[in-house]
Amino acid sequence: MTTSRSLQTLLVVCLVQWSQPFMRSVASEVSGDPRRRLSHDRPLSPFFSQAAGSWETAAPCDRLEMHLWDELRGPKCVLVLAKRDPSLLPEVEEIVTYLQDTFDMTVVVERMVMEALLKSPRIRSMVGPEKLRPLLVTDDPTADESKLVVIDGLEDSELQEIVEEEQEDIDAVVTLGGDGLVMHASTLFGSGKPVPPLLCFNMGSMGFLTPFEFHEYRTILDAAFRSPGVPITPRTRLDCSIMRKGGVIEHRHVLNEVVVDRGASPHLSQLECYVDGAHLTTVQADGLIISTPTGSTAYSMSAGGSMVHPSVPAILLTPICPHSLSFRPLMLPATSEVRCEVPEDNRSSAWVSFDGKSRKAMQRGDALVVSTSSVILPTVSRSSTTVDWFSSLQRSFSFNSRVRQKPFFNGGDPGTGEREAMAPEEPRKSLEAAEPMEPVEAMDAQMKTNSEV
């Protein structure tokens, strides 16, 4: 009996030690920074782990994704982003003052937003200058990319170091807008360092990536910042480079997709497409979409591509109006490297756009190289990755909505219309109609699951 209990105790200890990586959100300390507890280093697949030369199935990647705050200091600095709409300024002011009063946080905002906030007597009286700082990148809506603010007396390299230090200090990002603002937030963190979790409030049009409503911001912020951590959806990004004569002339990170198209040319785009160095096909179409699973429900879906769960490690290739009926959308492993070259004998040049903006011309002989970025973009989940994704499909797209089929005739002749009396069927509740889980309950349930595994 004693031996049996000893074995059980040993088994429990082993299980606890084995589960620690999952309780840390498959996390490791990144660059020695204890605040960054989430890291994805381009694994072969989250569904398999290779040990001792054999393949072993691992836990599904959907159930234990958590971002843990620093155990000693907690979240202290928050970046607040809002879409460029003057009517949202009262909501931004409300968020800033609440973060200050309740959590004594340092708030970072974009420069144009800060100038507008400082005109408010309430902000000037309540928020000290050391607690409200401008973000050191341009917020010019006409700019093709995020650029550094010019500061007299500083070299670009020195300013870049300051910006990187500022980004390291940011513990979380709060967005007030739509999906476009989430993609804008992604462009602000393009270096190789971890991205803080994004807490997204739906104040835009579609809101596929923004599961929270602004009217519940107090409950959401309290649940997020008073808990040891928050449940997240880790979203892969694409690392994109335009090559010319052996050198890189453009480098970007995208959250949704990178698109190569024919631009204003009346001729088809002709691209030589390679995957991991092997020639895949010659693309003759209006263009080619290379997207992430997050971007699968955007331009790729409109062009006939599949909708892919954000936890699936993959790169999607979707042709735009191909000149061949057999050229169908493809899904490649996330470890693949895709290379699209503009051949020298092409009738015209090609154009590249990154997340729907920042168009760049590709000359004959240029190549676009795309791979999965080593840095993910974590967005805070309302319930879980799967439940949030299904809810977004139904809310934003009315996914598979139709009139429910009536029951078949029972015991009667369908031709005569006779049928037995049947009790009316209870209507099924959709995810959208179901009562949403309170954020505090969702995060508590997630933490409880972590401790039980």
Side-chain angles (χ1 to χ4, degrees), residues 81 123 131 153 159 168 180 186 190 219 222 331 350 381 410 414 449:
L81 298 175
I123 291 293
K131 290 294 186 178
L159 185 55
E168 288 181 10
S186 175
T219 304
D222 287 348
M331 188 184 303
S381 304
N410 259 358
T449 304

Side-chain angles (χ1 to χ4, degrees), residues 200-220:
C200 307
F201 290 93
N202 182 18
M203 304 189 75
S205 302
M206 180 68 72
F208 194 89
L209 303 177
T210 54
F212 302 106
E213 298 297 332
F214 181 78
H215 66 82
E216 55 183 0
Y217 78 90
R218 294 175 182 268
T219 304
I220 300 299

Side-chain angles (χ1 to χ4, degrees), residues 16 295 343 371 414 424 433 445:
V16 170
S371 61

Side-chain angles (χ1 to χ4, degrees), residues 113-380:
V113 176
M114 183 170 179
E115 293 174 356
L117 287 176
L118 291 179
K119 296 178 182 178
S120 168
R122 180 186 180 191
I123 291 293
R124 291 199 303 269
S125 62
M126 296 181 61
V127 180
E130 72 283 355
K131 290 294 186 178
L132 183 63
R133 305 201 312 254
L135 187 67
L136 294 179
V137 291
T138 60
D139 52 1
D140 181 5
T142 62
D144 288 339
E145 57 181 314
S146 298
K147 298 180 180 179
L148 301 181
V149 174
V150 176
I151 299 179
D152 294 336
L154 288 181
E155 300 291 338
D156 287 346
S157 59
E158 296 175 329
L159 185 55
Q160 183 66 46
E161 291 179 2
I162 295 176
V163 171
E164 291 180 357
E165 291 177 1
E166 177 187 63
Q167 293 180 348
E168 288 181 10
D169 290 339
I170 295 175
D171 298 305
V173 180
V174 175
T175 67
L176 306 177
D179 298 339
L181 187 61
V182 178
M183 289 187 284
H184 171 63
S186 175
T187 64
L188 301 178
F189 300 90
S191 63
K193 298 184 179 180
V195 181
L198 272 65
L199 194 60
C200 307
F201 290 93
N202 182 18
M203 304 189 75
S205 302
M206 180 68 72
F208 194 89
L209 303 177
T210 54
F212 302 106
E213 298 297 332
F214 181 78
H215 66 82
E216 55 183 0
Y217 78 90
R218 294 175 182 268
T219 304
I220 300 299
L221 295 179
D222 287 348
F225 297 140
R226 296 188 190 279
S227 302
V230 288
I232 63 165
T233 297
R235 300 183 182 276
T236 58
R237 301 191 295 175
L238 295 180
D239 194 332
C240 310
S241 300
I242 299 179
M243 311 292 294
R244 178 174 297 168
K245 297 179 180 180
V248 178
I249 64 170
E250 190 75 23
H251 179 261
R252 297 292 181 88
H253 287 84
V254 298
L255 177 62
N256 270 5
E257 73 278 310
V258 55
V259 179
V260 188
D261 59 58
R262 63 182 184 176
S265 172
H267 307 292
L268 290 174
S269 292
Q270 182 167 291
L271 305 168
E272 298 297 339
C273 187
Y274 299 83
V275 177
D276 293 333
H279 186 262
L280 172 64
T281 187
T282 299
V283 177
Q284 296 186 93
D286 283 350
L288 180 67
I289 303 169
I290 307 174
S291 73
T292 64
T294 296
S296 68
T297 49
Y299 194 0
S300 175
M301 184 182 71
S302 299
S306 298
M307 295 186 293
V308 181
H309 189 284
S311 294
V312 175
I315 296 178
L316 284 70
L317 295 185
T318 307
I320 306 172
C321 299
H323 202 248
S324 171
L325 294 179
S326 61
F327 191 1
R328 311 312 304 163
L330 298 176
M331 188 184 303
L332 303 173
T335 52
S336 302
E337 181 184 86
V338 181
R339 183 183 181 94
C340 295
E341 297 180 356
V342 181
E344 295 288 352
D345 60 350
N346 196 28
R347 292 186 177 183
S348 64
S349 60
W351 287 83
V352 182
S353 61
F354 305 91
D355 274 341
K357 58 181 182 180
S358 307
R359 285 176 66 82
K360 301 294 180 182
M362 288 180 64
Q363 302 175 2
R364 296 176 181 87
D366 290 354
L368 172 69
V369 180
V370 180
S371 61
T372 301
S373 173
S374 60
V375 181
I376 58 101
L377 183 83
T379 57
V380 179

Side-chain angles (χ1 to χ4, degrees), residues 7-23:
L7 290 175
Q8 291 177 357
T9 302
L10 180 61
L11 179 60
V12 170
V13 171
C14 292
L15 286 175
V16 170
Q17 292 179 349
W18 175 84
S19 66
Q20 287 301 317
F22 296 102
M23 294 174 67

